[in-house]
Amino acid sequence: MFAVKCIESNKYDSLRPKFQAAFDFLQNTDLKVLKQGSQIRLAEGVTAIIKETYLTEPREERKFEIHRKHFDIQYIVEGQEFIGTVFVEDLEQDGEYDEKEDIVFFKEPEQSGGLVLREGDMAVFSPEDAHKPGCFMDKQEAVRKIVIKIAVCDE
């Protein structure tokens, strides 16, 4: 577990300005023309990461992850992918927490769920939501994605 300095109830208020900045960006920007590999600061504590196009991988080659200090909004610009999901409390950590990158990985659980994101779909993951992105459904596929990082507390 980790300590946070903000009021916990505010952490999940998706109407807060940080979330609104993210949703406004996704709704009002031509996402297909953004430079891959770039980052755009949308507001204080909100950054859009324009991922390079990548190929999805088999589920067994990916690991569950969480971000302790940020929510992840994952938006598919092109392609589709499967994202594994499970509550972090059900997982065993696999390695040390990387504070600079705000990421920690976990061993594969006996059971987990997941969702399929297609072009135009998004998912929001809180720090308690372990997720395993970048997996393919039936076959490998090229995906363009935008990940928006929203700080849990004001920075």
Side-chain angles (χ1 to χ4, degrees):
M1 191 46 118
F2 65 99
V4 292
K5 295 180 183 177
C6 61
I7 299 171
E8 289 295 317
S9 63
N10 288 339
K11 183 166 100 173
Y12 297 101
D13 183 357
S14 64
L15 299 178
R16 292 180 72 197
K18 290 179 189 177
F19 282 92
Q20 285 305 301
F23 298 145
D24 288 347
F25 172 78
L26 292 172
Q27 291 176 340
N28 300 313
T29 306
D30 185 354
L31 303 172
K32 291 186 178 187
V33 301
L34 296 174
K35 182 181 177 199
Q36 293 184 42
S38 64
Q39 294 188 20
I40 303 169
R41 184 172 186 252
L42 305 178
E44 184 72 28
V46 184
T47 302
I49 302 166
I50 318 308
K51 297 283 193 176
E52 298 280 345
T53 299
Y54 59 89
L55 294 175
T56 53
E57 299 178 31
R59 294 176 196 179
E60 59 272 6
E61 292 181 18
R62 306 288 300 165
K63 289 187 174 188
F64 280 98
E65 62 187 54
I66 64 161
H67 312 286
R68 294 179 178 172
K69 298 177 184 175
H70 294 89
F71 282 84
D72 253 9
I73 298 177
Q74 299 202 9
Y75 180 91
I76 303 296
V77 177
E78 294 176 347
Q80 71 174 0
E81 73 179 38
F82 176 86
I83 299 179
T85 59
V86 67
F87 289 116
V88 70
E89 65 194 29
D90 299 331
L91 297 177
E92 181 182 345
Q93 194 166 315
D94 187 18
E96 295 298 315
Y97 170 66
D98 182 335
E99 188 167 354
K100 182 176 183 263
E101 297 297 322
D102 184 34
I103 193 166
V104 64
F105 294 100
F106 295 88
K107 295 179 181 176
E108 189 68 27
E110 287 186 32
Q111 295 183 338
S112 63
L115 57 132
V116 177
L117 294 183
R118 294 181 174 89
E119 185 173 327
D121 291 343
M122 73 173 182
V124 180
F125 299 102
S126 76
E128 293 81 19
D129 300 326
H131 52 287
K132 180 168 49 168
C135 304
F136 64 65
M137 295 294 299
D138 318 343
K139 60 183 171 69
Q140 198 167 49
E141 186 166 343
V143 173
R144 285 193 64 202
K145 179 194 285 185
I146 295 174
V147 176
I148 299 180
K149 299 285 189 180
I150 299 179
V152 172
C153 298
D154 292 331
E155 298 177 324

